[in-house]
Every structure is written in C-alpha cells, then in structure tokens.
Amino acid sequence: MIKIPGDLNVVTGLAPTAGDAAATGDYISLKYAHRVWIVFSVKQGEATVPVLSVMKATAVDGTGATAMTEAARIFSTLDCATSDVLVERTPAASYSLDAALKDKLVVFEIDPAGIGAYDCIAAKVAASNAANITSVLYVVESRYGSKVQPSMIVD
C-alpha cells in the first residue's frame, strides 16, 4: 500500500500565479527521489496558450539553472469539468496547452537518473495572460520509503 507521507511526499511548487509574466516554481532536491511528478493545474481564462516546462539546477537555490531538454512523459486532462482521465501525450521537454478556456491538469513524469549531473528541478510557466492562473504541486516517490521523508526543499 502506497502512503503519504512515507512512499510519496507532496511539495508545493508554485502557489496560484497569474500568467501575465513567466514564473518559475520552487526548486526541489531529487537526492532522495526515485521519481517525481510535476502536477500543473491551469485555470485558462484567456486563449493565449500557456507553455509548461521544467528547469534543472545543481542546488535548490537555482545554481546552474537551465531548461531541461530531456523528454519527459507527459499526461494531461484538457477539460477537468468533463473528465478526470489523464491522457498520455508525446514525451517532450515542454507542453503547450490548447486555446480552450477550461480547467486543465498536466503532469510531467521526471526520472532523476535521466537529467544528468543535475539533482534539482523546478516547474516553469511561460508568460501568457493574466487571466490564466497556474499552480504546481510536486509528488515525489521516495527512493528509500520511510515514515519521515527528508526535506525536498533543502540540498
């Protein structure tokens, strides 16, 4: 049985943010992570298309930050009012939403072993429009599983 906390740790990545400017979420350390899901929740109130992506760094303060170029598995629900089914999309380093004014959920699956010498990541939302509101949660599968997880927001 999978447990929160224990097997999974949930970390706030980005508080609800208007899309009139680009936003990068908090960096988390992947040192104790087996796998991470970056969960973007988007309330799209204007048709300008938000682009979602991932940054990688060598420390949680953003040291050496650069855009992740490795393809991640991506899943999405483009109308949360009518479906809760996540559909797998083409693996990529970024994902552009469609222009429909809907509540959307997009999940990037990150394998820490696949991003080279980097051991920290952060969600990124490109500028779109102030009416597009995005928030992010990180769901981290522990490498070692324990009742008390080490902090993900410190190196």
Side-chain angles (χ1 to χ4, degrees):
M1 173 166 77
I2 296 175
K3 297 173 277 182
I4 298 175
D7 302 305
L8 300 176
N9 193 13
V10 180
V11 181
T12 299
L14 182 67
T17 303
D20 52 336
T24 300
D26 293 335
Y27 280 88
I28 61 169
S29 172
L30 304 180
K31 290 178 183 173
Y32 301 106
H34 175 66
R35 188 165 321 278
V36 177
W37 293 271
I38 302 173
V39 182
F40 293 86
S41 179
V42 180
K43 181 171 190 60
Q44 194 163 344
E46 200 275 334
T48 303
V49 175
V51 178
L52 313 175
S53 61
V54 180
M55 298 294 291
K56 59 186 181 179
T58 57
V60 295
D61 66 359
T63 300
T66 186
M68 190 177 89
T69 56
E70 298 81 4
R73 290 180 73 198
I74 299 173
F75 305 85
S76 69
T77 300
L78 298 178
D79 185 356
C80 292
T82 62
S83 177
D84 61 352
V85 176
L86 288 167
V87 176
E88 187 162 5
R89 307 301 177 176
T90 303
S94 66
Y95 186 76
S96 297
L97 292 170
D98 60 22
L101 306 184
K102 307 282 183 179
D103 289 342
K104 302 169 183 182
L105 200 62
V106 177
V107 179
F108 281 63
E109 182 180 279
I110 308 297
D111 177 354
I115 60 172
Y118 297 89
D119 62 357
C120 297
I121 58 168
K124 181 168 183 174
V125 183
S128 60
N129 183 279
N132 295 331
I133 308 298
T134 303
S135 63
V136 174
L137 286 176
Y138 303 119
V139 179
V140 183
E141 181 182 9
S142 174
R143 182 179 295 168
Y144 304 109
S146 68
K147 198 172 238 185
V148 178
Q149 291 293 319
S151 176
M152 298 298 192
I153 61 172
V154 296
D155 284 316

